[in-house]
Amino acid sequence: MNDPVNPEAAPDAADAAPASEFVEALDPLLHQPLRTQIAAYLVGRGEATFSELKRVLQCTDGNLDAHLKKLLAADYLAQERRGGGARLQTTYALTATGRAAFAAYLAHLQKLFNLTQCAAPDHRAGLLSSPRLA
């Protein structure tokens, strides 16, 4: 626990270990807002074109392309080129690896959220009841 007399004192290892354990378990590849949004959208949608992702996530071509490349390199995404000629479209979908990583990421976030909910004091207990009007 934090020492109120010495604010620079380190918290007890028991207090710090659970939270740091869950934070360290978060996938650094998915723990970036745009990549989290890409994965979440593809979980719900199944697949999407580059243009659709750009429109829905409201990002630039370069930003989206950079994040898609990172997800592709990690085998979290698969891409398929469809059509022919000038109308060639690239479609993206989560791979089995990507789905498993996203599910694990969400599970770790849920554990971290549950940990903070258990640790947060219930301030309602100290409130006085409101006076009753006659």
Side-chain angles (χ1 to χ4, degrees):
M1 198 170 267
N2 289 333
D3 184 350
V5 175
N6 183 3
E8 294 180 15
D12 293 341
D15 292 341
S20 64
E21 174 186 319
F22 293 120
V23 171
E24 289 173 7
L26 292 173
D27 185 333
L29 190 65
L30 290 172
H31 198 61
Q32 193 290 331
L34 186 56
R35 290 193 291 263
T36 304
Q37 292 174 42
I38 292 167
Y41 185 74
L42 292 174
V43 162
R45 179 85 167 103
E47 65 179 25
T49 64
F50 184 91
S51 300
E52 180 181 353
L53 288 169
K54 181 183 164 190
R55 184 185 73 251
V56 169
L57 302 175
Q58 299 180 346
C59 56
T60 63
D61 286 356
N63 196 14
L64 180 59
D65 185 56
H67 290 291
L68 290 172
K69 284 180 180 176
K70 288 181 185 260
L71 293 169
L72 285 164
D75 192 35
Y76 284 13
L77 286 184
Q79 72 179 14
E80 182 180 336
R81 298 189 190 276
R82 296 181 181 163
R87 293 296 299 162
L88 186 67
Q89 286 198 343
T90 304
T91 304
Y92 297 91
L94 285 174
T95 62
T97 301
R99 285 185 181 280
F102 189 67
Y105 178 76
L106 291 179
H108 288 300
L109 281 178
Q110 185 63 51
K111 287 178 184 176
L112 187 58
F113 177 75
N114 289 343
L115 179 68
T116 61
Q117 291 301 304
C118 292
D122 187 358
H123 297 289
R124 294 173 293 174
L127 294 178
L128 297 176
S129 60
S130 58
R132 293 183 182 236
L133 299 177

